Amino acid sequence: MNGQVGGGAVLDAVLERITFANEETGYTVAKVDTGRGAGDLVTVVGALLGAQPGESLRMRGRWGSHPQYGKQFHVDDYTTVLPATIQGIRRYLGSGLVKGIGPRIADRIVEHFGVDSLDVIETEPKRLVEVPGLGPKRTKLIADAWEEQKAIKEVMVFLQGVGVSTSLAVRIYKQYGDRSIDVVRHEPYRLAADVWGIGFRTADVIAKAVGIPHDSPQRVKAGLQFTLSEATGNGNCYLPEQELIADAIKILQVDTGLVIDCLAELVTEEGVVREDLPGDDGEKIGAIYLVPFHRAEVSLAGQLVRLLRGREDRMPAFGAVDWDRAFGWLAKRQPAELAPSQRDAVRLALTEKVAVLTGGPGCGKSFTVRSVVALATAKGAKVVLAAPTGRAAKRLTELTGHEAKTVHRLLELKPGGDAAFDRDRPLDADLVVVDEASMLDLLLANKLVKAVAPGAHLLLVGDVDQLPSVGAGEVLRDVLATGSPVPSVRLTHIFRQAQQSGVVTNAHRINSGDYPQVKGLPDFFLFSVEEAEDAATTTVDVVANRIPRRFGLDPRRDVQVLAPMHRGPAGAGALNSLLQEALTPPRPDLPERRFGGRVFRLGDKVTQMRNNYDKGANGVFNGTLGVVVGLDPDEQKLTVRTDEDEEVDYEFGELDELTHAYAMTIHRSQGSEYPCVVLPITTSAWMMLQRNLLYTAVTRAKKLVVLVGSQRAIGQAVRTVGAGRRHTALSHRLTS
């Protein structure tokens, strides 16, 4: 049926392919087949996000014309309908929409049942065993997938009416099942807490559509919790009360009195915690925490002090060791002698229950850690090594010759985030060494320190001048704060071998506020480009052509593009699309899968976007890198081999957990190290340009740094000391 309905036009067609999709706005450009023959495809544009190739759509909208692309159909909304022709049924079943059916099995089903294929699956699914090659197991899988699909469709009809995209509707259904419509209608703000991909703003749109008043206490409380959640996403552990109220009013657009009353109710209901803390001027401020962050901060401070002051010592031998003799023993077994400050650090780690080792690149942190581990194992101590990322753990293993694990694997985190090791079941270790400790956020640091046994030693190693953790808190900085009871050593001397590295010397120049040297070095280059669009083009050329040609590095495995921000012409988002086209272009013989605005292909470099405790052996965590090694349209799954060499499966409906990682933001690169870093840095990222951002990016490179951008932008980054501190109270809790 194609024609006019109620003043608008209706177009029935099969979705052939999506040529562009914006995940944030839902705007989509696609080609559809109206079934009129001649192979002519019609261009449709508008709200189509969530529709999948192969689906038969009934689209409502209007016809229009584009000066460049000609006749187009502008879609206002759509519904999916089941196809009625053999060709349509074959395409529908072969599109991978129904789990267990891919193109080959679709052909066999349609060959056997013809135009009745969908009726058979719907009413007599057991008859599918008549199809050659389909056994009872596959038949049951198809029948179950069809039933789930049907149930989801019913929920979707309701959800589309309140403006929810198909992909989010699937997630809502998976979370609540048959209760989905009830939850959406009566408790829409629960979605923001329970369903990945739905924030307060989406829940607010749904709440409005189902008739929840603008000034409802349910809405205001949800808005306050969302404001705090956003603050933790920006690194804060709490917000001062007045700041929280002001921010919430901006979001909610309601009276101040209502927000104050609802906040008081939230505190009474224990939805949030209020605590008086000393402000910068000595006056008390009311600090408002989400409950898990308050618990974690109080617990972490308590656990660190407990470890420090405990009477037990699992490495008592080092209390009476002859250090000159010990260092002499080490010198015979290692390629160089320890410098005085390194000796201090080794002594500290082996005699104090908690210690911190910090310093920039080339100052010998790694050599010091190796020495600590060598002496501890020589005395028979059980040493456990960990780092926040898979790459950092691998590097620690290579450095020390002892297996290092990610913190998540070490603690054996379970679905829901609980750890197998904690205060009641501590790690069997005399010494726990954690590298890249600047990446430890409050929640993870608390889980880790809880698992350290009484009397065991904990050594935190990291560069405090790097960006703080992606998650809330700045644990390393707080532990090193003036007045902290935790002893520490800061290495500052750059060793001669490191002085020959342009990467190392420029990192220290940047950290001191000096412009990096960009001429005459074999491992540090600048391609001078002013405009962001030109920087993007040059970056792709540098990665795909120049670096492989001159240095023999693999552009996907060895080179990482790090951008100051995600948005913009030279941001990580745009660069990922350009680099994917250059490095993993489409091939007719390889399957691919579109999800929202992204296309996933075999060989793609990807990264995980959220902590998911249900995936892999011990969860897959925000920032985990990997490569797409499998893509199965029949099973509707994509397989990623992570940088910990674990193969993890993703259902097609879960692909919003992944994004491409040819380029990533500097924040997301923390704790990782790459042979080569390419850094597009232009004035379009002006607000983000800060010294610790540039310093962190440069220190991610082992061998080679290439800057692409403007000298003015680099100068701005070097001059600008990072913005104010995060709202944390760990240092206060430790000192008091």
Side-chain angles (χ1 to χ4, degrees):
M1 181 185 80
N2 297 316
Q4 300 288 129
V5 171
V10 174
L11 178 66
D12 287 348
V14 175
L15 181 58
E16 280 290 325
R17 64 177 181 272
I18 293 170
T19 53
F20 170 79
N22 183 318
E23 288 172 87
E24 287 168 23
T25 64
Y27 180 79
T28 304
V29 180
K31 296 284 188 185
V32 299
D33 183 355
T34 58
R36 291 184 178 163
D40 287 342
L41 297 180
V42 174
T43 300
V44 295
V45 298
L48 271 176
L49 199 62
Q52 299 289 353
E55 284 189 308
S56 294
L57 307 178
R58 174 158 294 166
M59 295 162 281
R60 293 169 187 79
R62 63 199 183 283
W63 288 99
S65 185
H66 188 280
Q68 189 177 346
Y69 302 114
K71 192 177 180 187
Q72 295 180 336
F73 189 77
H74 295 265
V75 182
D76 293 326
D77 63 76
Y78 74 93
T79 52
T80 55
V81 291
L82 291 176
T85 66
I86 282 191
Q87 184 196 1
I89 291 167
R90 180 181 278 116
R91 190 183 288 144
Y92 177 75
L93 289 176
S95 65
L97 284 163
V98 182
K99 197 171 182 181
I101 305 179
R104 278 181 309 110
I105 290 170
D107 285 345
R108 286 188 211 156
I109 293 172
V110 175
E111 217 166 279
H112 193 79
F113 295 115
V115 80
D116 298 325
S117 297
L118 299 183
D119 285 337
V120 170
I121 299 172
E122 169 82 43
T123 59
E124 302 175 273
K126 287 181 179 170
R127 283 189 61 200
L128 287 170
V129 291
E130 298 171 20
V131 177
L134 281 193
K137 195 174 169 189
R138 174 73 60 140
T139 298
K140 185 175 184 322
L141 177 69
I142 292 169
D144 291 348
W146 185 265
E147 281 304 310
E148 186 182 40
Q149 203 63 10
K150 245 175 46 185
I152 290 171
K153 285 269 189 265
E154 285 169 27
V155 173
M156 279 182 188
V157 170
F158 169 74
L159 292 175
Q160 280 175 343
V162 292
V164 179
S165 76
T166 310
S167 56
L168 289 182
V170 171
R171 284 194 175 275
I172 291 169
Y173 180 78
K174 282 196 170 161
Q175 179 73 29
Y176 304 115
D178 297 338
R179 293 167 42 242
S180 300
I181 291 172
D182 196 50
V183 171
V184 171
R185 191 171 275 145
H186 301 295
E187 302 175 90
Y189 293 104
R190 269 184 67 187
L191 302 175
D194 295 348
V195 183
W196 156 250
I198 295 184
F200 171 80
R201 289 190 175 89
T202 305
D204 205 28
V205 170
I206 296 168
K208 187 177 179 184
V210 297
I212 286 177
H214 187 71
D215 58 357
S216 153
Q218 180 188 350
R219 177 175 183 265
V220 177
K221 287 177 191 175
L224 281 160
Q225 287 175 307
F226 165 72
T227 307
L228 282 172
S229 180
E230 287 281 279
T232 63
N234 292 326
N236 297 298
C237 298
Y238 68 85
L239 278 183
E241 190 169 11
Q242 295 310 315
E243 193 177 322
L244 169 62
I245 291 166
D247 288 352
I249 289 166
K250 273 186 217 157
I251 291 164
L252 294 164
Q253 299 291 300
V254 294
D255 290 343
T256 306
L258 178 59
V259 173
I260 292 169
D261 291 346
C262 286
L263 178 56
E265 282 180 39
L266 265 179
V267 172
T268 308
E269 295 162 3
E270 299 185 353
V272 299
V273 176
R274 186 188 187 284
E275 182 182 358
D276 283 332
L277 293 172
D280 293 337
D281 54 3
E283 293 291 313
K284 293 279 186 192
I285 57 162
I288 311 290
Y289 287 82
L290 289 172
V291 174
F293 294 90
H294 186 262
R295 279 190 190 141
E297 197 173 75
V298 170
S299 165
L300 177 57
Q303 302 289 350
L304 285 168
V305 171
R306 171 183 67 86
L307 280 176
L308 269 171
R309 299 194 177 148
R311 291 187 176 179
E312 288 179 63
D313 191 345
R314 292 181 59 149
M315 295 201 297
F318 288 102
V321 84
D322 180 337
W323 286 104
D324 287 339
R325 200 168 152 207
F327 290 134
W329 178 88
L330 257 183
K332 289 175 191 163
R333 285 160 177 77
Q334 297 195 144
E337 282 197 40
L338 292 163
S341 58
Q342 291 176 308
R343 288 183 171 210
D344 292 344
V346 170
R347 207 176 289 129
L348 202 67
L350 296 171
T351 57
E352 294 283 355
K353 309 283 179 43
V354 184
V356 178
L357 170 61
T358 189
C363 293
K365 289 197 304 294
S366 298
F367 186 53
T368 307
V369 169
R370 198 162 92 184
S371 304
V372 169
V373 172
L375 282 173
T377 49
K379 287 285 187 186
K382 287 182 182 170
V383 179
V384 164
L385 306 176
T389 66
R391 281 182 176 233
K394 268 186 187 171
R395 195 172 71 238
L396 195 54
T397 301
E398 289 160 10
L399 171 77
T400 59
H402 286 255
E403 186 197 6
K405 295 180 177 178
T406 62
V407 177
H408 304 96
R409 276 182 185 274
L410 177 68
L411 300 177
E412 292 179 17
L413 290 183
K414 301 276 186 276
D418 292 328
F421 294 95
D422 55 21
R423 193 166 179 174
D424 298 327
R425 187 194 171 202
L427 295 162
D428 183 18
D430 304 318
L431 171 64
V432 179
V433 180
V434 185
D435 199 9
E436 295 288 356
S438 64
M439 280 189 75
L440 285 178
D441 62 39
L442 174 66
L443 299 182
L444 187 59
N446 179 46
K447 286 186 171 83
L448 172 70
V449 175
K450 253 200 256 189
V452 178
H457 292 223
L458 172 66
L459 175 63
L460 300 175
V461 184
D463 184 347
V464 76
D465 293 321
Q466 285 180 30
L467 289 167
S469 56
V470 174
E474 37 190 8
V475 173
L476 189 64
R477 198 167 291 173
D478 283 346
V479 169
L480 284 166
T482 307
S484 165
V486 179
S488 62
V489 170
R490 182 172 190 136
L491 303 178
T492 54
H493 173 71
I494 307 171
F495 288 90
R496 192 173 67 224
Q497 191 180 352
Q499 286 172 2
Q500 294 161 7
S501 158
V503 175
V504 170
T505 52
N506 274 332
H508 285 279
R509 284 180 69 87
I510 290 163
N511 204 28
S512 304
D514 296 323
Y515 195 90
Q517 185 184 338
V518 292
K519 287 182 180 164
L521 293 171
D523 60 352
F524 203 101
F525 301 90
L526 168 65
F527 285 82
S528 201
V529 186
E530 289 301 322
E531 297 302 322
E533 288 82 357
D534 297 335
T537 310
T538 305
T539 297
V540 174
D541 181 40
V542 164
V543 172
N545 304 313
R546 292 173 183 250
I547 289 172
R549 207 163 48 224
R550 178 160 175 189
F551 295 98
L553 296 175
D554 182 288
R556 278 185 297 183
R557 188 185 62 239
D558 302 328
V559 182
Q560 184 61 56
V561 176
L562 300 179
M565 55 198 285
H566 184 77
R567 296 171 187 269
L575 283 166
N576 264 320
S577 300
L578 295 169
L579 287 160
Q580 185 193 32
E581 285 309 301
L583 301 174
T584 321
R587 279 175 37 191
D589 57 325
L590 287 181
E592 58 180 45
R593 180 68 180 182
R594 179 175 284 279
F595 190 97
R598 297 191 281 273
V599 180
F600 292 97
R601 300 185 183 124
L602 282 173
D604 268 343
K605 187 175 177 180
V606 293
T607 182
Q608 174 80 5
M609 299 281 283
R610 64 177 283 232
N611 289 347
N612 187 332
Y613 297 96
D614 299 320
K615 288 213 165 294
N618 294 112
V620 181
F621 298 91
N622 189 354
T624 299
L625 282 171
V627 174
V628 178
V629 293
L631 215 162
D632 187 331
D634 287 358
E635 299 297 330
Q636 284 189 270
K637 72 177 183 187
L638 176 147
T639 306
V640 173
R641 184 181 293 121
T642 71
D643 54 8
E644 294 180 66
D645 293 326
E646 181 180 18
E647 294 206 349
V648 179
D649 291 335
Y650 292 79
E651 290 185 14
F652 284 169
E654 299 175 313
L655 293 182
D656 57 349
E657 294 192 17
L658 291 175
T659 190
H660 292 100
Y662 299 99
M664 65 173 74
T665 61
I666 297 165
H667 281 87
R668 290 189 70 80
S669 73
Q670 287 168 260
S672 292
E673 192 178 66
Y674 317 96
C676 170
V677 163
V678 178
L679 180 60
I681 180 163
T682 66
T683 51
S684 64
W686 193 257
M687 298 305 292
M688 295 293 293
L689 299 178
Q690 292 172 1
R691 187 182 299 168
N692 61 353
L693 191 83
L694 184 56
Y695 173 73
T696 300
V698 169
T699 55
R700 300 306 85 217
K702 255 195 301 200
K703 298 177 184 170
L704 180 66
V705 170
V706 181
L707 303 180
V708 179
S710 75
Q711 296 189 12
R712 185 164 165 249
I714 296 165
Q716 167 70 4
V718 168
R719 283 190 306 274
T720 309
V721 178
R725 296 286 301 271
R726 294 174 167 190
H727 292 302
T728 75
L730 179 61
S731 58
H732 160 69
R733 296 182 198 284
L734 285 170
T735 51
S736 62

